Each structure stands twice: as structure tokens, then as C-alpha cells.
Amino acid sequence: MQFETLAIRLQTERTQHREHSTPIFPTSSFVFDDAEQMRAMFADEQEGNIYSRFTNPSVREFEEKMAALEGTDDAFATATGMAAVFASFMAFLNAGDHLLSSRTVFGSTHTVVGQFLPRWGIETDFVDGRNPESWQSLVRPNTRMLFLETPTNPGLDVIDLEFAGEFCRKNNLILNVDNCFATPYLQQPARFGAQIVTHSATKYIDGQGRVLGGVVCGDKGLVAEVRKFCRSTGPSLSPFNAWVLSKSLETLAIRLDRHCENAEKLAHHLTSLPQVERVIYPFLDSHPDHEIARRQMKKGGGLVAFEIRGGVSAGRQFLDKLKMFSLSANLGDTRTIATHPASTTHAKLTPEARAAAGITDGLIRISVGLEHMEDILGDLNQAIIA
Ligand SMILES: *Cc1c(COP(=O)(O)O)cnc(C)c1O
């Protein structure tokens, strides 16, 4: 089956009611027929649901769909994207191990890698994702994993997955890719050798700003380790959120098509405005990594970044003049969202650290929504040109 069909047709078995839409199983635990069945399931001799922290049919449906869409053997769903990222580290890394991570990762991931993992004796180094030739010199005998995101937030750098896959094979590292910005519809890191693919399902997977969720997809044996870690530590996804996310996947492809179409139009429009210094969109020919983007992504994605002339004050003024776009921390929503990283998400960094992360004072990030294009351009124009 093709991507769109799998996203719609993969579902748990129907109940005796023969419901057409997918059922939801909001239960904390499951009952056993007798003592022997209970013993066998606890002993892992017989498959079956025991307790929703371990498995739940609504959660399992979401996991099976995500594994099918990412082209991986299996998946484990978590309560948030950060729980997925954290579990994907803790299931594999021991004290004394070494992790390489791209420097341009989601803010909370940067904190986990840079501050928490070292507290537990896990050594970490940040690498420049756009300069893969520099990675080899940072590999040590105890290096276990390379973690990266592409496209990155908020600078929309594109990191070469084919190179990363080859690099990890050669150095015997687990390649772990946060595929949140692209979704499996635009990019499947497993095709390039990623053994672990993590997601914040909060973003495009839900796509309507309703629930938090995450998922770790990957090779069977590796996902089993993640499941073992999470079964005891408890970051499980709720059945209700899993049900919402499974339904959302049914429209992922069609939503992403429109997100990308609108984003590409907005990017082209921005390049024509004198108030704009620079436009960043992976499928614009002016993007430094556009050839890599075209090789590994089906379309350019739903995010556009641009640099407004006039620095921090111009950036803040632009946000204040917007009438329709939401000022919000989320992305991947039906609603267009604008953020100004230098005065918000990255305000605590030193100017040098901000520059290293590609965040200039006038950088604006737009998560382009599904409103009519005339209204999106209209709001942008009245806020930028006035
Ligand atoms: C939002 C986000 C996360 C964290 O996800 P939550 O669901 O908010 O915990 C991780 N990685 C990326 C790239 C994100 O955008």
C-alpha cells in the first residue's frame, strides 16, 4: 500500500460493534481469564495487554501506523516529543558512553544533551551539522550515537542524511534523527540508515494544536530497548491522545501538501520584498543546502524563516502588527504562527551562541498554516510594508 493508504487504512481490529472509524480504549488496565493467563502474560510467554503504561490498543495502533509510515520495524509512543528524545538516549547510553549531537537542535534537546546527560556521566559533544567533514575528529572509542535534526529549528539548515548514514555505519554508531519538521511524508531517515527516528507528534502529526505526543520508531531490537526503558520509567502516551494522533495521520499527506504549497508561495513572495534581507526555505535555489534538500525531501516543508531589516526592534514590531497570524510557541498547526527567536526562545543565549545557532536579530520564523493564501499574504503584507 502507498503512504496515504497506509495512513488511512491501518487500524486495530474492529470490536463486536463493527465500527467504521477507529475505536478508542480508555482503560488503565486489562482483565485476565484465569491465573494461568495472567502468569503467562506477565512472563512474556503470551502476548496481550496487561496495563496501559506497557501497552494499550489505541496506542499500539498509532505505533504501528508510525512504524509503517517511517518504514521501520516498530515504534514506541510517548507522552511528548521530549519524552521520545529522552528515551531514545537513555535506552542506549550508559555512564562513560559518548554522544555526538548536532548543535542546531530543539532547545529542550540542547539542554538535555548539554546539561543533563553529562550529570549522569554521559559525555556529549556538539557538532556542526552543516560541516560533516568535521565530525570524524570528534569520534572517540566510546562514541555510541549521532543525533541530529533536519531541517533544523529555526534556521532551517538541511543536514545530509546520506552522509550521516554512511558515517554512522563506518563508525558503528546509532544514527538517531528527530524527523519532526519533515514528517515521514516528506522524508524517511530510515532509508538513509537511521536506526532510530524520533518525533514530536505534537507538531505536524497532530497538526491541529490539540494534543502532546511523541514516538520513537526504529529497528525491532532497538525499539524493544526503548519499550523496556519506558515500561518501567512511565512516559507512556495516553489512549485518548493516541486515538487523536491516529486519526490525524489519516490527513497528514493532504495537510502537508498544502502546508508546503503555501510555504513555498510565501517564501517566493518574501524574496520580492525590500524590507526582507534574506529568505530561508529548503527548496529555494538560494538555500545553501537546497541540493541536499531536494535529494532527501519530497517537498520543502511548512516552515519559512526570513530576516527582516532593522534587527530586534523591527522583528518585534512585525509581530505586534500581525492581525491574523498567531504569536505562539507551537508549529505545524493549521493556523499560521510567527515567532521571533532572538527575543523569545533564544533570548537567554549570548549573542555569540545565538550567532552559532544561526539566529540573527531580525530572524522571523513562520509556520505556514492552511488558511487561504490571500489571507496569509494579506496579513504579512500589512504587517511588514506599513
Ligand atoms: C517540539 C519539538 C520537540 C519536543 O516536542 P514536545 O512534544 O513539545 O515535547 C522536539 N523536537 C523538535 C524538532 C520539536 O520541534
Side-chain angles (χ1 to χ4, degrees):
M1 282 189 198
Q2 299 294 315
F3 187 97
E4 290 81 349
T5 318
L6 281 172
I8 291 168
R9 289 288 174 178
L10 259 186
Q11 78 176 67
T12 46
E13 280 172 42
R14 295 195 167 82
T15 70
Q16 76 275 19
H17 300 297
R18 297 171 287 103
E19 63 281 348
H20 188 201
S21 182
T22 192
I24 176 171
F25 297 93
T27 179
S28 47
S29 64
F30 300 84
V31 290
F32 304 96
D33 294 336
D34 50 38
E36 171 51 24
Q37 187 190 44
M38 193 168 185
R39 185 205 63 78
M41 283 193 187
F42 267 91
D44 282 332
E45 289 170 16
Q46 192 181 330
E47 271 200 20
N49 296 303
I50 297 174
Y51 189 61
S52 285
R53 170 152 46 81
F54 312 163
T55 57
N56 171 283
S58 300
V59 175
R60 194 63 198 141
E61 177 179 309
F62 174 61
E63 290 169 347
E64 284 175 353
K65 268 190 174 178
M66 283 302 301
L69 299 181
E70 281 290 1
T72 59
D73 299 334
D74 203 357
F76 184 85
T78 55
T80 65
M82 280 321 301
V85 170
F86 185 62
S88 78
F89 294 150
M90 298 318 280
F92 306 109
L93 300 174
N94 299 311
D97 285 343
H98 177 233
L99 167 76
L100 288 178
S101 167
S102 156
R103 185 169 292 113
T104 46
V105 287
F106 186 68
S108 297
T109 304
H110 199 280
T111 306
V112 169
V113 170
Q115 294 175 31
F116 285 101
L117 297 186
R119 270 179 46 190
W120 300 315
I122 298 165
E123 300 165 15
T124 63
D125 269 311
F126 288 108
V127 301
D128 178 356
R130 292 198 51 229
N131 182 11
E133 309 297 335
S134 68
W135 301 348
Q136 190 65 50
S137 65
L138 291 163
V139 174
R140 307 177 193 168
N142 57 340
T143 309
R144 297 269 336 257
M145 180 184 282
L146 170 68
F147 178 82
L148 56 88
E149 281 171 27
T150 178
T152 64
N153 178 33
L156 304 179
D157 295 343
V158 177
I159 300 176
D160 189 337
L161 287 175
E162 197 176 343
F163 185 100
E166 195 50 47
F167 174 84
C168 287
R169 251 190 308 277
K170 209 174 66 197
N171 290 286
N172 197 24
L173 311 181
I174 297 173
L175 175 58
N176 181 351
V177 178
D178 181 335
N179 200 28
C180 172
F181 271 35
T183 84
Y185 179 60
L186 301 182
Q187 164 179 291
Q188 292 164 313
R191 280 181 38 210
F192 300 97
Q195 290 143 290
I196 293 284
V197 180
T198 49
H199 273 282
S200 168
T202 313
K203 314 294 169 51
Y204 287 106
I205 306 281
D206 174 36
Q208 288 143 91
R210 300 168 298 186
V211 300
L212 297 167
V215 64
V216 183
C217 304
D219 297 351
K220 206 176 180 59
L222 299 187
V223 173
E225 290 299 313
V226 171
R227 183 176 293 113
K228 199 162 94 185
F229 175 77
C230 291
R231 180 176 162 142
S232 295
T233 55
S236 320
L237 182 64
S238 85
F240 177 76
N241 286 7
W243 177 82
V244 170
L245 293 168
S246 279
K247 291 301 286 179
S248 293
L249 283 176
E250 297 186 16
T251 56
L252 179 67
I254 196 163
R255 283 187 284 110
L256 255 295
D257 278 339
R258 184 62 72 84
H259 278 297
C260 294
E261 188 187 321
N262 287 358
E264 202 162 333
K265 283 183 187 158
L266 185 74
H268 281 291
H269 174 70
L270 283 163
T271 56
S272 71
L273 299 180
Q275 295 84 353
V276 172
E277 180 97 40
R278 184 170 63 115
V279 184
I280 311 166
Y281 184 68
F283 269 35
L284 278 187
D285 289 346
S286 58
H287 191 291
D289 314 316
H290 76 101
E291 276 168 24
I292 302 169
R294 281 178 209 275
R295 227 175 25 236
Q296 64 194 33
M297 295 173 74
K298 189 185 174 103
K299 297 183 180 192
L303 286 131
V304 177
F306 66 97
E307 205 172 319
I308 197 165
R309 286 185 207 279
V312 170
S313 65
R316 292 186 44 157
Q317 216 171 57
F318 170 75
L319 291 199
D320 281 338
K321 283 190 184 161
L322 288 166
K323 293 188 173 128
M324 181 184 81
F325 291 14
S326 309
L327 308 188
S328 173
N330 199 19
L331 64 93
D333 198 310
T334 53
R335 300 166 184 209
T336 299
I337 293 169
T339 55
H340 179 234
S343 70
T344 57
T345 45
H346 296 72
K348 287 204 184 86
L349 300 186
T350 60
E352 295 76 39
R354 262 202 302 279
I359 294 149
T360 48
D361 288 349
L363 191 79
I364 305 278
R365 188 194 75 186
I366 309 280
S367 170
V368 186
L370 304 180
E371 301 97 337
H372 196 286
M373 204 55 215
E374 270 180 31
D375 296 318
I376 294 174
L377 293 177
D379 198 31
L380 180 103
N381 284 340
Q382 67 80 24
I384 211 168
I385 295 170

